[in-house]
């Protein structure tokens, strides 16, 4: 679908936003001012794309509760989907050999990850002793399956490996070192469950990969993107965007790459994007 004329006439053709800690707050709420700002941009012909580490169903739940309808890049760039319709515009899974290496990296560190799969009726598979936060599994409900993770990586496409809300980030760091070129990973503070979350996606994949696929799908110019983020998994997104923004509560790595700093999500700081798009800073 070609980009609307209104977006072609402006400096920014697409606004991309992280969800947790950026558009939504620690209680998973989207401030009404932020939701209104999303709708204003959409009415102007400037699409808003959500880019998040969440899985599709949980991202959709937060957006729907906040009154936001938008396409999303989920699982840190492994999957792109038009919500709520469900049409997939981007999909990336691990090569089997890489999936084996990533699983081995978790096991060597004494961790048992959640393995996100492309299986009808199932979002993720865990073994009998998962290292992820118990509330994370509880919220997965019927979409969580138990199984042999070694068999899963041998026989099924895998989107990402993750451990959510681990209390000790030092226990997660050896996994990143051991993964090497088999995957692309990041450790972020978890606003919902506390502690830190480690997510490993397919090699070379990031939120920006999904953004590029969305631009190709919609006929947009990836050199005319404004992006907003707050965490380590947003760094490549912010580095690649023409206009990079972070919220005041962002991690230092995100703030270091931001040209503009917005207010926190709990007070509707996201709505300040309207000023940037209405009076855009010249694109680099």
């Amino acid at each position: 679908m070609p980009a609307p004329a209104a977006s072609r006439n402006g400096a920014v053709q697409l606004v991309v936003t992280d969800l947790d800690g950026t558009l939504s707050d620690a209680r998973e709420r989207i401030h009404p001012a932020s939701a209104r700002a999303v709708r204003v941009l959409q009415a102007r012909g400037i699409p808003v794309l959500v880019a998040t580490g969440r899985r599709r169903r949980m991202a959709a739940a937060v957006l729907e509760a906040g009154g936001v309808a938008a396409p999303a890049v989920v699982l840190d760039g492994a999957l792109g989907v038009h919500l709520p319709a469900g049409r997939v515009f981007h999909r990336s899974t691990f090569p089997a050999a890489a999936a084996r290496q990533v699983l081995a990296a978790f096991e060597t560190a004494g961790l048992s990850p959640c393995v996100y799969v492309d299986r009808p009726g199932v979002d993720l598979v865990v073994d009998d002793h998962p290292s992820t936060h118990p509330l994370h599994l509880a919220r997965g409900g019927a979409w969580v399956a138990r199984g042999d993770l070694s068999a899963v990586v041998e026989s099924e496409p895998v989107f990402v490996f993750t451990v959510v809300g681990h209390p000790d980030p030092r226990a997660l760091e050896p996994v990143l070192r051991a993964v090497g070129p088999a995957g692309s990973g990041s450790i972020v503070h978890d606003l919902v469950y506390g502690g830190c979350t480690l997510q490993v996606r397919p090699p070379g994949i990031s939120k920006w990969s999904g953004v590029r696929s969305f631009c190709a799908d919609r006929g947009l110019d990836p050199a005319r993107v404004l992006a907003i983020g707050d965490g380590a998994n947003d760094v490549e997104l912010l580095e690649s965007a023409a206009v990079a923004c972070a919220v005041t509560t962002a991690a230092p790595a995100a703030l270091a790459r931001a040209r503009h700093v917005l207010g926190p999500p709990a007070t509707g700081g996201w709505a300040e994007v309207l000023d940037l798009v209405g009076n855009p800073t010249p694109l680099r």
Side-chain angles (χ1 to χ4, degrees):
M1 180 187 300
S7 65
R8 291 191 183 278
N9 292 337
V12 172
Q13 286 191 355
L14 172 66
V15 172
V16 181
T17 180
D18 172 53
L19 186 57
D20 294 295
T22 301
L23 181 59
S24 62
D25 63 20
R27 298 178 66 181
E28 302 179 282
R29 300 176 304 184
I30 298 175
H31 194 280
S34 300
R36 284 194 298 271
V38 171
R39 293 191 290 270
V40 168
L41 288 170
Q42 292 169 333
R44 292 180 185 175
I46 301 175
V48 175
L49 175 67
V50 175
T52 176
R54 285 178 179 255
R55 60 192 172 101
R56 171 180 165 180
R57 296 180 212 278
M58 292 307 298
V62 173
L63 293 172
E64 183 178 355
V68 172
V73 172
V74 298
L75 297 174
D76 276 341
L79 182 66
V81 60
H82 288 281
L83 299 174
R87 183 175 70 83
V88 173
F89 61 84
H90 173 74
R91 180 181 182 275
S92 181
T93 58
F94 280 91
R100 287 193 295 270
Q101 182 173 332
V102 173
L103 180 59
F106 276 92
E107 292 175 340
T108 300
L111 297 170
S112 178
C114 302
V115 179
Y116 286 78
V117 295
D118 191 11
R119 185 193 301 181
V122 172
D123 287 349
L124 62 145
V125 182
V126 296
D127 68 11
D128 291 333
H129 303 285
S131 302
T132 203
H133 196 287
L135 292 179
H136 173 233
L137 287 185
R139 294 186 73 184
W143 307 106
V144 179
R146 300 276 174 169
D148 181 343
L149 301 187
S150 296
V152 169
V153 301
E154 290 292 341
S155 61
E156 298 185 51
V158 173
F159 287 116
V160 298
F161 297 80
T162 190
V163 169
V164 173
H166 196 282
D168 184 6
R170 294 171 298 180
L172 304 176
E173 291 166 359
V175 178
L176 285 185
R177 293 193 292 270
V179 163
S184 176
S186 56
I187 298 173
V188 299
H189 174 66
D190 198 292
L191 293 176
V192 177
Y193 302 103
C196 289
T197 289
L198 165 62
Q199 190 140 280
V200 182
R201 47 203 175 266
I205 295 301
S206 68
K207 291 181 179 182
W208 184 249
S209 307
V211 172
R212 291 187 64 86
S213 291
F214 181 79
C215 288
D217 184 67
R218 292 290 300 272
L220 301 171
D221 183 356
R224 297 172 70 179
V225 170
L226 181 149
I228 314 107
D230 80 316
N233 58 339
D234 296 315
V235 167
E236 185 168 348
L237 174 66
L238 297 178
E239 288 177 338
S240 302
V243 181
C245 307
V247 296
T248 56
T249 50
L255 285 169
R257 290 159 174 83
R259 295 172 64 187
H260 304 279
V261 178
L262 312 179
T267 61
W270 198 95
E272 297 166 24
V273 170
L274 291 178
D275 295 330
L276 299 178
V277 175
N279 301 285
T281 302
L283 300 179
R284 66 168 184 245

